[in-house]
Amino acid sequence: MAGHDGVMILAEQKNGRIHPVTHELLHRGRQLADALHTELSCVVIGAGRDDLQELIYRGADRVYLLNPGTMSFFLAGPVAGALTRLIREERPAVVVAAATTSGRTVVPLAAARLETGLTADCTELSIEPESKLLLQTRPAIGGNVMATIKTPFSRPQMATVRPHSMPPAPRDTSRHGEIIEKSYPILSGPEKFLGFIKDETQEVNLQEADVVVTGGRGMKSPAGFKLVEELAGVLGAGVGATRAVVELGWAPYSHQIGLSGKTVAPKVYIAAGVSGQIQHLAGMQTAEYIVAINEDPEAMIFKVADLGLVGDALQIVPRLTAEVKKLKEAR
Amino acid sequence: MHIVVLVKQVPATDNVRLDPEKGIMIRGAKDNIINPLDENAVAEAVRIKALLPEATVTALAMGPEAAREVLREAAARGADRGVLLSGRAYAGADTIATSRALAAAIKKLSPVDLVLAGERATDGETGQTGPMVAARLDMPVVTYVRKVDWQDGVLQVERIVEDGYEQVEVTPPALLTVVKDINKPRPPSLKRRLKALKMEVPVWGPEDLALAANELGLKGSPTRVVKVFSPRLVRQTRMFGENETTSAIDELLRQLTARNVV
């Protein structure tokens, strides 16, 4: 595997701009590159030139801008094609992308074409000192175990990492780096992007929110679930729902947290009237600080909570909303 | 129109409880089920089939002999036949080796117009196998699909992303991975279940796929699991009883302030 060197990250993009999760990737990428005494590059596909210097300030030694203006980040096929081609040319040892709906689609396509190993949804990446191999750690079986995975025999070693599993890279405006533009002939596939519809029920993006307030069946009714939305409102938090609540129709599927929904890792997670089935815990147990409100002191949710409130969520949640309001007004 | 649905047998996790000390799942050996999102994939295949005359649905699984059961489950739910990739050579496969086997099987089943699969399986939770199969078949892939419209030979597809929905048009052959939102699968009738029990399920080994043993299973897998350990699952919970709500709320406000989120 001689001849493979360097760490490459794939910039996450939204509407032609660099998405902030890219700065988390740069943080990880910089640490890995330093451990390997090598360079960090960042691949931007299709975006404009506006945000590129920022990537250098955040740790990139080299930025590749592929097909500016002629390709959108939306279609996985062409994006994966361009990424695969760049990897073949530049031969990095490690490639890291965000475990988002785009990263989790583009990177497997590239890995299969390159016949190399890929580990999904890592929460930790490091370099094994003796072997210099990438150690990729991820939750498995609904978050009940952690597994560390290596890619010993093929290159590059590829991984997607969970958003919010690392703080953004610090900004250093004295850093220097190079920006390289490349345009590949685009193989337009049989896919066509038609449009984007914003999820109006999500005032705050669940997976980017610092705080998530989730309601479970213990909220008793659609009116009870409204109390959860009100608390989220005053906190500027994302609104989460358990599978049971989505099945009852109190919240749309886009709010579902758990194995068959979204995974979140906010700074504070408040679970109100949530019993804590494994299916749900899998989607939230890596949150920094977990608060559980439930009338059953034996509820599983308390096992993963930092702060447990035994009592009726229908009473406690509105009280909390009022207290947060008061606190904000006092400032 | 030939639709192939990828189905996987997974351990049942739904009603499982956690061992609070060890942080592991408590479950019996017999609790294996069809991966829940694959149920949605089967239901969607059967729905599309109903729109198109002469369409057929083949369910394809890789796994131990016992995985026949998920193919029978798929048949009970309306699939016309099932094929199982099974044998020692397949064991220990990661997503690269799994997708190689599945793609070879789909080629053998050709012509195939549409491949459907659950977005991820509840055991591995990688969501990688679908896109990797698509790459190997040179098919366009749309992931996280929550809506499919079949219009004059073109698929209008809606996928769910972090902050909304993307609409994409693809011309078959294509591979789609689906999320739970796409439909509400109904459990099959007893009669259909009994009929599916009698279905013959052919088993294809590596020789049927013209793949060498070192392309499959652990030998064909570029990744290696080197360590498995328990996460920090049990936290130091500060519990407040029913009469202590006021102090609990104070503590929560203190935490929110300290964490700079309010």
Side-chain angles (χ1 to χ4, degrees):
Chain A
M1 274 149 318
H4 285 86
D5 185 33
V7 175
M8 182 180 274
I9 66 148
L10 174 64
E12 177 80 12
Q13 289 150 75
K14 197 92 224 183
N15 305 321
R17 299 300 298 265
I18 303 291
H19 188 275
V21 72
T22 308
H23 299 160
E24 298 169 25
L25 298 177
L26 285 166
H27 200 177
R28 279 192 187 279
R30 191 66 258 166
Q31 290 180 351
L32 298 175
D34 289 346
L36 289 168
H37 307 290
T38 185
E39 286 195 340
L40 174 64
S41 62
C42 178
V43 190
V44 179
I45 299 178
R49 297 175 182 81
D50 297 353
D51 311 320
L52 303 184
Q53 190 60 38
E54 184 68 21
L55 301 173
I56 292 169
Y57 294 158
R58 302 273 183 173
D61 298 306
R62 196 175 302 153
V63 174
Y64 294 105
L65 178 62
L66 305 187
N67 291 53
T70 58
M71 189 185 272
S72 90
F73 197 66
F74 282 119
L75 292 175
V79 169
L83 178 66
T84 305
R85 178 138 176 203
L86 182 72
I87 291 172
R88 286 205 171 111
E89 285 173 11
E90 300 300 327
R91 302 167 70 81
V94 172
V95 176
V96 179
T100 54
T101 53
S102 47
R104 288 174 56 102
T105 310
V106 167
V107 183
L109 290 175
R113 294 199 179 117
L114 296 160
E115 292 287 359
T116 192
L118 169 61
T119 304
D121 264 337
C122 297
T123 51
E124 220 181 292
L125 293 178
S126 62
I127 299 295
E128 190 174 51
E130 318 83 64
S131 65
K132 304 289 178 209
L133 286 171
L134 180 68
L135 297 175
Q136 308 152 47
T137 299
R138 72 182 300 258
I141 320 179
N144 291 294
V145 297
M146 300 295 285
T148 301
I149 293 160
K150 279 192 214 178
T151 304
F153 316 116
S154 61
R155 293 292 176 273
Q157 307 159 82
M158 300 181 83
T160 60
V161 297
R162 274 200 188 165
H164 285 297
S165 57
M166 176 159 268
R171 187 168 196 256
D172 176 359
T173 52
S174 69
R175 281 189 49 86
H176 294 282
E178 90 184 286
I179 295 172
I180 300 165
E181 284 195 23
K182 286 180 183 241
S183 277
Y184 295 135
I186 305 167
L187 295 167
S188 62
E191 352 157 43
K192 205 163 83 188
F193 182 73
L194 299 178
F196 173 74
I197 307 165
K198 190 158 170 32
D199 180 5
E200 301 291 349
T201 70
Q202 259 192 82
E203 276 171 49
V204 178
N205 183 331
L206 254 182
Q207 280 151 310
E208 288 171 17
D210 280 339
V211 184
V212 171
V213 186
T214 291
R217 211 200 298 256
M219 298 315 292
K220 302 275 172 29
S221 67
F225 192 78
K226 278 268 176 302
L227 301 173
V228 167
E229 294 173 347
E230 282 164 22
L231 175 58
V234 296
L235 284 168
V239 177
T242 60
R243 186 176 63 181
V245 159
V246 171
E247 272 164 18
L248 287 164
W250 303 350
Y253 171 70
S254 58
H255 292 251
Q256 186 173 320
I257 290 170
L259 263 187
S260 44
K262 290 178 174 171
T263 300
V264 296
K267 288 185 185 161
V268 178
Y269 187 89
I270 302 174
V274 173
S275 63
Q277 286 193 357
I278 292 206
Q279 134 79 25
H280 183 72
L281 301 184
M284 46 64 78
Q285 61 185 333
T286 54
E288 233 173 78
Y289 189 77
I290 297 172
V291 181
I293 306 167
N294 198 300
E295 55 190 358
D296 174 11
E298 299 300 316
M300 280 307 290
I301 191 74
F302 289 124
K303 304 280 187 240
V304 302
D306 297 283
L307 179 65
L309 285 78
V310 180
D312 182 0
L314 291 172
Q315 303 290 321
I316 296 174
V317 172
R319 267 184 73 182
L320 192 51
T321 307
E323 292 297 331
V324 173
K325 259 190 206 159
K326 244 193 269 172
L327 180 74
K328 286 173 82 174
E329 278 159 14
R331 289 202 185 146
Chain B
M1 178 78 177
H2 183 197
I3 307 172
V4 172
V5 189
L6 305 179
V7 293
K8 185 179 186 185
Q9 189 180 47
V10 296
T13 50
D14 265 34
N15 302 307
V16 175
R17 310 257 322 160
L18 273 189
D19 177 334
E21 268 74 54
K22 294 188 198 131
I24 55 169
M25 286 192 292
I26 307 165
R27 63 179 180 92
K30 71 170 194 64
D31 300 332
N32 285 323
I33 53 167
I34 178 170
N35 176 45
L37 291 180
D38 297 346
E39 278 183 8
N40 296 92
V42 171
E44 197 59 16
V46 172
R47 187 187 75 81
I48 296 171
K49 175 187 151 157
L51 302 173
L52 302 165
E54 291 167 49
T56 58
V57 176
T58 304
L60 173 64
M62 182 177 116
E65 286 277 329
R68 258 178 229 273
E69 288 190 28
V70 297
L71 293 169
R72 295 210 163 105
E73 177 75 34
R77 289 165 184 271
D80 299 291
R81 61 168 173 159
V83 173
L84 178 65
L85 309 184
S86 193
R88 286 182 62 175
Y90 297 107
D94 69 2
T95 54
I96 280 282
T98 302
S99 61
R100 189 178 288 133
L102 292 173
I106 293 167
K107 275 186 194 149
K108 195 176 155 82
L109 288 166
S110 67
V112 172
D113 305 287
L114 186 60
V115 182
L116 297 175
E119 188 274 318
R120 68 183 73 185
T122 49
D123 54 352
E125 281 192 271
T126 70
Q128 289 176 178
T129 305
M132 284 178 172
V133 168
R136 294 180 184 285
L137 296 171
D138 249 326
M139 278 185 190
V141 59
V142 187
T143 51
Y144 300 91
V145 170
R146 67 149 199 170
K147 208 166 142 192
V148 180
D149 268 330
W150 178 270
Q151 290 187 352
D152 305 323
V154 176
L155 294 161
Q156 306 255 356
V157 172
E158 193 166 290
R159 70 190 290 255
I160 182 165
V161 297
E162 286 76 4
D163 56 347
Y165 310 98
E166 289 176 5
Q167 294 172 315
V168 181
E169 189 178 279
V170 277
T171 311
L175 186 148
L176 311 177
T177 70
V178 306
V179 295
K180 210 185 68 121
D181 211 15
I182 195 163
N183 53 37
K184 289 200 176 19
R186 261 180 271 143
S189 65
L190 185 64
K191 198 176 139 199
R192 299 201 71 144
R193 261 189 206 291
L194 290 172
K195 194 174 158 230
L197 277 182
K198 292 184 210 131
M199 182 180 77
E200 290 286 320
V201 176
V203 175
W204 291 353
E207 60 289 348
D208 296 302
L209 303 179
L211 287 170
N214 66 6
E215 294 177 280
L216 295 169
L218 188 63
K219 283 186 190 149
S221 297
T223 61
R224 289 286 180 278
V225 176
V226 291
K227 193 169 86 176
V228 174
F229 57 101
S230 285
R232 189 183 69 112
L233 177 67
V234 183
R235 303 194 185 206
Q236 295 296 322
T237 315
R238 271 192 77 183
M239 289 294 281
F240 288 86
E242 292 197 52
N243 308 320
E244 300 167 302
T245 303
T246 307
S247 28
I249 289 178
D250 285 347
E251 173 61 17
L252 176 49
L253 293 177
R254 212 168 19 249
Q255 290 289 345
L256 290 170
T257 311
R259 287 162 203 277
N260 260 326
V261 292
V262 67

